[in-house]
Amino acid sequence: MVAKNKGKNYFKILSMAFKEILRNILWILFLAFMSMVFFAWYSAMTSGNKVKATIMLRYEQAYEGLNPNGTRFNINELLSDEVLQTTISLAGLQDELTTDDLLSSIAVKASGSQEPENMYIATEYTIELNNRFLPRRISAYNMMNLLMETYKQYFMKNYGSNDSALNIDWADTADWEYIEFADIMNVKVNNLITYVDNLRSESGMYQYHSAGESFRSLSESIANFRDIYLNKYTSYVTNNHLFRNPAAYRDKLVYRRFLKNQSLSANQEIYRIYQDALKMYDETMITFMMVPMFDTANGLYMARTGIGMDDLTIGAQEYAEKIENDQKQILAFDASIENTYTPETSQEKYAYADDMISEIEDHLNSIILRIQAVKKEYEEYRFKSSITYVINQPGLMSTYNVKGTVVAGFVVVILSSMYYMIRTIRKESKS
């Protein structure tokens, strides 16, 4: 009987507790609403404190961990002083933000698994930037946008392709002999043609030439320059025996001839060894070189092989060609040395040769500027898809953290209800 009365009392107390909750439901809902408003406001205020971006590399060499010009790719260059300082300057924060502060606000990591057994060469990287040190007048999103664009331009400028062929230093030309200038310029021009032809092959059929230029037309211009200007200059200085210092140049030629003669002697000795080996490698020896073979019916038989003879013949042929080349170069040295023993040439001819050198420099510099203009336009097109970035702009749901806001309101409702329930139970228990 006592247990039955006690159960009725508990039920009565719980019933009163629920009635108390319903009596204060408006107050509870108001508290929940205010909590949700505050949580949403706080989320909106803090959502701009951090921003993430993803850099994606989409060119062939990236999958080998390389830059487009073949050098090793290093994402940490995004954090270099040059990139950070340029970003700060573009933001107009030179007097308010240091590179160290900006560096402390950035975190970079490769996307994908970092477990040793699952690691691969990354082609995507995640960059996170917070506003810890940023002035209030610029958001983390805007700063990230400047950083990404600055790094993209830095990447294009430094790693678009190997531009060494475009860098011709004219400072030392005054120290070159007239004929040396022709030889050196021929090498540089041929390198330039190779460089342009490689770009032409790489660019395919894409028509990007806003000024009516193409890598094909540029290659033809360089070839014409070589065939007309350089050949004319070479013939002129050779036929007129023009030298700045004939004796010094002659000594240089004599030394080069000596080195080439040493090479000729070494190649002749190796060629003689090959010839002796071929003489020893007679038909009798070949009959003893038998190897097991299978015919079309899978029958085993022993076959003679001429592989040894073939290798010796190929080796002898290679050194015969080297000997022929050395002999031709020695004859050319002899002709050049003989050419230095000439009577004095008039100053007018030297002056004309100097004018030709200036004309060659001006004309080649003009071609290089045209190459650079077309190359820049091409690489801007290529890098639109080769290196891209996406900045994660928070949407409405994430800005106000709708899920968290709802959870916050629900928690307030539960806690408030528990408060009224516990208060009612304790009050009724005492009475």
PDB file of all heavy atoms in Angstrom, residues 22 53-54 84 92 95 102 121 126 144 177 216 307 330 351 353 372 396 410 420:
ATOM      1  N   LEU A  22       5.676  23.527 -19.392  1.00  0.00           N
ATOM      2  CA  LEU A  22       4.747  24.096 -20.354  1.00  0.00           C
ATOM      3  C   LEU A  22       4.361  25.519 -19.980  1.00  0.00           C
ATOM      4  O   LEU A  22       4.147  26.366 -20.854  1.00  0.00           O
ATOM      5  CB  LEU A  22       3.490  23.220 -20.437  1.00  0.00           C
ATOM      6  CG  LEU A  22       3.694  21.835 -21.056  1.00  0.00           C
ATOM      7  CD1 LEU A  22       2.406  21.023 -20.959  1.00  0.00           C
ATOM      8  CD2 LEU A  22       4.121  21.978 -22.514  1.00  0.00           C
ATOM      9  N   ALA A  53      42.488  27.549 -49.546  1.00  0.00           N
ATOM     10  CA  ALA A  53      42.576  27.537 -51.004  1.00  0.00           C
ATOM     11  C   ALA A  53      43.259  26.250 -51.438  1.00  0.00           C
ATOM     12  O   ALA A  53      44.026  25.653 -50.672  1.00  0.00           O
ATOM     13  CB  ALA A  53      43.340  28.754 -51.518  1.00  0.00           C
ATOM     14  N   THR A  54      42.990  25.825 -52.648  1.00  0.00           N
ATOM     15  CA  THR A  54      43.613  24.626 -53.211  1.00  0.00           C
ATOM     16  C   THR A  54      44.321  24.987 -54.502  1.00  0.00           C
ATOM     17  O   THR A  54      43.708  25.592 -55.396  1.00  0.00           O
ATOM     18  CB  THR A  54      42.574  23.534 -53.491  1.00  0.00           C
ATOM     19  OG1 THR A  54      41.867  23.220 -52.287  1.00  0.00           O
ATOM     20  CG2 THR A  54      43.247  22.274 -54.024  1.00  0.00           C
ATOM     21  N   LEU A  84      55.750  36.756 -50.704  1.00  0.00           N
ATOM     22  CA  LEU A  84      55.058  37.400 -49.578  1.00  0.00           C
ATOM     23  C   LEU A  84      55.157  38.916 -49.659  1.00  0.00           C
ATOM     24  O   LEU A  84      54.174  39.630 -49.410  1.00  0.00           O
ATOM     25  CB  LEU A  84      55.645  36.900 -48.259  1.00  0.00           C
ATOM     26  CG  LEU A  84      55.486  35.403 -47.965  1.00  0.00           C
ATOM     27  CD1 LEU A  84      56.089  35.052 -46.611  1.00  0.00           C
ATOM     28  CD2 LEU A  84      54.017  34.985 -48.017  1.00  0.00           C
ATOM     29  N   GLY A  92      48.770  46.912 -50.230  1.00  0.00           N
ATOM     30  CA  GLY A  92      49.016  48.243 -49.682  1.00  0.00           C
ATOM     31  C   GLY A  92      49.277  48.233 -48.195  1.00  0.00           C
ATOM     32  O   GLY A  92      48.945  49.193 -47.488  1.00  0.00           O
ATOM     33  N   ASP A  95      53.417  49.202 -44.532  1.00  0.00           N
ATOM     34  CA  ASP A  95      53.717  49.822 -43.231  1.00  0.00           C
ATOM     35  C   ASP A  95      52.990  49.146 -42.070  1.00  0.00           C
ATOM     36  O   ASP A  95      53.186  49.531 -40.916  1.00  0.00           O
ATOM     37  CB  ASP A  95      53.335  51.313 -43.271  1.00  0.00           C
ATOM     38  CG  ASP A  95      54.089  52.069 -44.349  1.00  0.00           C
ATOM     39  OD1 ASP A  95      55.244  51.691 -44.621  1.00  0.00           O
ATOM     40  OD2 ASP A  95      53.524  53.019 -44.922  1.00  0.00           O
ATOM     41  N   LEU A 102      53.000  37.621 -42.010  1.00  0.00           N
ATOM     42  CA  LEU A 102      52.191  36.926 -43.012  1.00  0.00           C
ATOM     43  C   LEU A 102      52.568  35.451 -43.089  1.00  0.00           C
ATOM     44  O   LEU A 102      51.705  34.582 -43.216  1.00  0.00           O
ATOM     45  CB  LEU A 102      52.375  37.593 -44.373  1.00  0.00           C
ATOM     46  CG  LEU A 102      51.528  37.032 -45.524  1.00  0.00           C
ATOM     47  CD1 LEU A 102      50.045  37.056 -45.170  1.00  0.00           C
ATOM     48  CD2 LEU A 102      51.772  37.821 -46.810  1.00  0.00           C
ATOM     49  N   ILE A 121      53.421  11.456 -55.561  1.00  0.00           N
ATOM     50  CA  ILE A 121      53.825  12.829 -55.885  1.00  0.00           C
ATOM     51  C   ILE A 121      52.581  13.701 -55.944  1.00  0.00           C
ATOM     52  O   ILE A 121      51.687  13.483 -56.764  1.00  0.00           O
ATOM     53  CB  ILE A 121      54.585  12.864 -57.216  1.00  0.00           C
ATOM     54  CG1 ILE A 121      55.898  12.079 -57.084  1.00  0.00           C
ATOM     55  CG2 ILE A 121      54.878  14.297 -57.629  1.00  0.00           C
ATOM     56  CD1 ILE A 121      56.679  11.973 -58.376  1.00  0.00           C
ATOM     57  N   THR A 126      46.911  22.259 -50.291  1.00  0.00           N
ATOM     58  CA  THR A 126      45.944  23.059 -49.546  1.00  0.00           C
ATOM     59  C   THR A 126      46.674  24.144 -48.774  1.00  0.00           C
ATOM     60  O   THR A 126      47.645  23.863 -48.069  1.00  0.00           O
ATOM     61  CB  THR A 126      45.138  22.187 -48.571  1.00  0.00           C
ATOM     62  OG1 THR A 126      44.452  21.175 -49.315  1.00  0.00           O
ATOM     63  CG2 THR A 126      44.133  23.028 -47.802  1.00  0.00           C
ATOM     64  N   MET A 144      44.109  36.093 -49.252  1.00  0.00           N
ATOM     65  CA  MET A 144      44.380  34.816 -49.903  1.00  0.00           C
ATOM     66  C   MET A 144      44.318  34.967 -51.422  1.00  0.00           C
ATOM     67  O   MET A 144      45.143  34.396 -52.156  1.00  0.00           O
ATOM     68  CB  MET A 144      43.378  33.766 -49.438  1.00  0.00           C
ATOM     69  CG  MET A 144      43.518  32.413 -50.147  1.00  0.00           C
ATOM     70  SD  MET A 144      45.063  31.560 -49.768  1.00  0.00           S
ATOM     71  CE  MET A 144      44.567  30.718 -48.254  1.00  0.00           C
ATOM     72  N   GLU A 177      87.652  37.701 -81.127  1.00  0.00           N
ATOM     73  CA  GLU A 177      88.180  37.941 -82.464  1.00  0.00           C
ATOM     74  C   GLU A 177      87.009  38.004 -83.450  1.00  0.00           C
ATOM     75  O   GLU A 177      85.942  37.454 -83.196  1.00  0.00           O
ATOM     76  CB  GLU A 177      89.146  36.828 -82.865  1.00  0.00           C
ATOM     77  CG  GLU A 177      90.551  36.996 -82.343  1.00  0.00           C
ATOM     78  CD  GLU A 177      91.277  38.180 -82.962  1.00  0.00           C
ATOM     79  OE1 GLU A 177      90.806  38.703 -83.991  1.00  0.00           O
ATOM     80  OE2 GLU A 177      92.307  38.588 -82.392  1.00  0.00           O
ATOM     81  N   ARG A 216      56.582  29.236 -85.893  1.00  0.00           N
ATOM     82  CA  ARG A 216      57.099  28.833 -87.202  1.00  0.00           C
ATOM     83  C   ARG A 216      57.718  30.022 -87.927  1.00  0.00           C
ATOM     84  O   ARG A 216      58.830  29.928 -88.467  1.00  0.00           O
ATOM     85  CB  ARG A 216      55.970  28.233 -88.041  1.00  0.00           C
ATOM     86  CG  ARG A 216      56.416  27.829 -89.441  1.00  0.00           C
ATOM     87  CD  ARG A 216      55.292  27.167 -90.211  1.00  0.00           C
ATOM     88  NE  ARG A 216      55.716  26.771 -91.537  1.00  0.00           N
ATOM     89  CZ  ARG A 216      54.966  26.116 -92.400  1.00  0.00           C
ATOM     90  NH1 ARG A 216      53.715  25.780 -92.053  1.00  0.00           N
ATOM     91  NH2 ARG A 216      55.415  25.791 -93.591  1.00  0.00           N
ATOM     92  N   ILE A 307      77.356 -12.060 -83.607  1.00  0.00           N
ATOM     93  CA  ILE A 307      77.204 -10.871 -82.757  1.00  0.00           C
ATOM     94  C   ILE A 307      78.561 -10.254 -82.441  1.00  0.00           C
ATOM     95  O   ILE A 307      78.747  -9.045 -82.485  1.00  0.00           O
ATOM     96  CB  ILE A 307      76.446 -11.225 -81.464  1.00  0.00           C
ATOM     97  CG1 ILE A 307      75.012 -11.611 -81.793  1.00  0.00           C
ATOM     98  CG2 ILE A 307      76.473 -10.079 -80.481  1.00  0.00           C
ATOM     99  CD1 ILE A 307      74.199 -12.049 -80.604  1.00  0.00           C
ATOM    100  N   ILE A 330      91.450  19.412 -88.246  1.00  0.00           N
ATOM    101  CA  ILE A 330      92.871  19.787 -88.280  1.00  0.00           C
ATOM    102  C   ILE A 330      93.171  20.582 -89.540  1.00  0.00           C
ATOM    103  O   ILE A 330      93.899  21.594 -89.509  1.00  0.00           O
ATOM    104  CB  ILE A 330      93.755  18.529 -88.176  1.00  0.00           C
ATOM    105  CG1 ILE A 330      93.682  17.960 -86.758  1.00  0.00           C
ATOM    106  CG2 ILE A 330      95.210  18.859 -88.537  1.00  0.00           C
ATOM    107  CD1 ILE A 330      94.390  16.646 -86.581  1.00  0.00           C
ATOM    108  N   ALA A 351      86.300  49.015 -89.576  1.00  0.00           N
ATOM    109  CA  ALA A 351      85.138  49.813 -89.183  1.00  0.00           C
ATOM    110  C   ALA A 351      83.853  49.220 -89.772  1.00  0.00           C
ATOM    111  O   ALA A 351      82.811  49.173 -89.104  1.00  0.00           O
ATOM    112  CB  ALA A 351      85.316  51.261 -89.648  1.00  0.00           C
ATOM    113  N   ALA A 353      83.384  46.068 -90.496  1.00  0.00           N
ATOM    114  CA  ALA A 353      83.096  44.836 -89.748  1.00  0.00           C
ATOM    115  C   ALA A 353      82.428  45.161 -88.411  1.00  0.00           C
ATOM    116  O   ALA A 353      81.492  44.464 -87.981  1.00  0.00           O
ATOM    117  CB  ALA A 353      84.372  44.042 -89.522  1.00  0.00           C
ATOM    118  N   GLN A 372      59.992  36.610 -77.192  1.00  0.00           N
ATOM    119  CA  GLN A 372      59.521  36.773 -75.821  1.00  0.00           C
ATOM    120  C   GLN A 372      58.050  37.177 -75.782  1.00  0.00           C
ATOM    121  O   GLN A 372      57.291  36.716 -74.930  1.00  0.00           O
ATOM    122  CB  GLN A 372      60.387  37.803 -75.095  1.00  0.00           C
ATOM    123  CG  GLN A 372      61.799  37.318 -74.810  1.00  0.00           C
ATOM    124  CD  GLN A 372      62.684  38.410 -74.256  1.00  0.00           C
ATOM    125  OE1 GLN A 372      62.460  39.604 -74.500  1.00  0.00           O
ATOM    126  NE2 GLN A 372      63.716  38.021 -73.515  1.00  0.00           N
ATOM    127  N   LEU A 396      26.276  30.248 -47.263  1.00  0.00           N
ATOM    128  CA  LEU A 396      25.386  30.695 -46.192  1.00  0.00           C
ATOM    129  C   LEU A 396      25.327  29.695 -45.047  1.00  0.00           C
ATOM    130  O   LEU A 396      25.365  30.065 -43.868  1.00  0.00           O
ATOM    131  CB  LEU A 396      23.970  30.922 -46.769  1.00  0.00           C
ATOM    132  CG  LEU A 396      22.939  31.501 -45.797  1.00  0.00           C
ATOM    133  CD1 LEU A 396      23.348  32.908 -45.389  1.00  0.00           C
ATOM    134  CD2 LEU A 396      21.558  31.507 -46.434  1.00  0.00           C
ATOM    135  N   PHE A 410      18.704  23.649 -29.507  1.00  0.00           N
ATOM    136  CA  PHE A 410      18.167  22.421 -28.929  1.00  0.00           C
ATOM    137  C   PHE A 410      18.756  22.171 -27.549  1.00  0.00           C
ATOM    138  O   PHE A 410      18.041  21.772 -26.609  1.00  0.00           O
ATOM    139  CB  PHE A 410      18.471  21.244 -29.863  1.00  0.00           C
ATOM    140  CG  PHE A 410      17.918  19.949 -29.402  1.00  0.00           C
ATOM    141  CD1 PHE A 410      16.559  19.669 -29.491  1.00  0.00           C
ATOM    142  CD2 PHE A 410      18.757  18.984 -28.854  1.00  0.00           C
ATOM    143  CE1 PHE A 410      16.043  18.461 -29.060  1.00  0.00           C
ATOM    144  CE2 PHE A 410      18.240  17.779 -28.405  1.00  0.00           C
ATOM    145  CZ  PHE A 410      16.882  17.513 -28.523  1.00  0.00           C
ATOM    146  N   TYR A 420      13.747  23.482 -14.997  1.00  0.00           N
ATOM    147  CA  TYR A 420      12.408  23.597 -14.415  1.00  0.00           C
ATOM    148  C   TYR A 420      11.942  22.264 -13.837  1.00  0.00           C
ATOM    149  O   TYR A 420      11.246  22.216 -12.810  1.00  0.00           O
ATOM    150  CB  TYR A 420      11.415  24.096 -15.471  1.00  0.00           C
ATOM    151  CG  TYR A 420      11.573  25.575 -15.758  1.00  0.00           C
ATOM    152  CD1 TYR A 420      12.084  25.993 -16.978  1.00  0.00           C
ATOM    153  CD2 TYR A 420      11.220  26.529 -14.807  1.00  0.00           C
ATOM    154  CE1 TYR A 420      12.237  27.333 -17.263  1.00  0.00           C
ATOM    155  CE2 TYR A 420      11.375  27.880 -15.070  1.00  0.00           C
ATOM    156  CZ  TYR A 420      11.878  28.288 -16.290  1.00  0.00           C
ATOM    157  OH  TYR A 420      12.033  29.609 -16.550  1.00  0.00           O
TER     158      TYR A 420
END
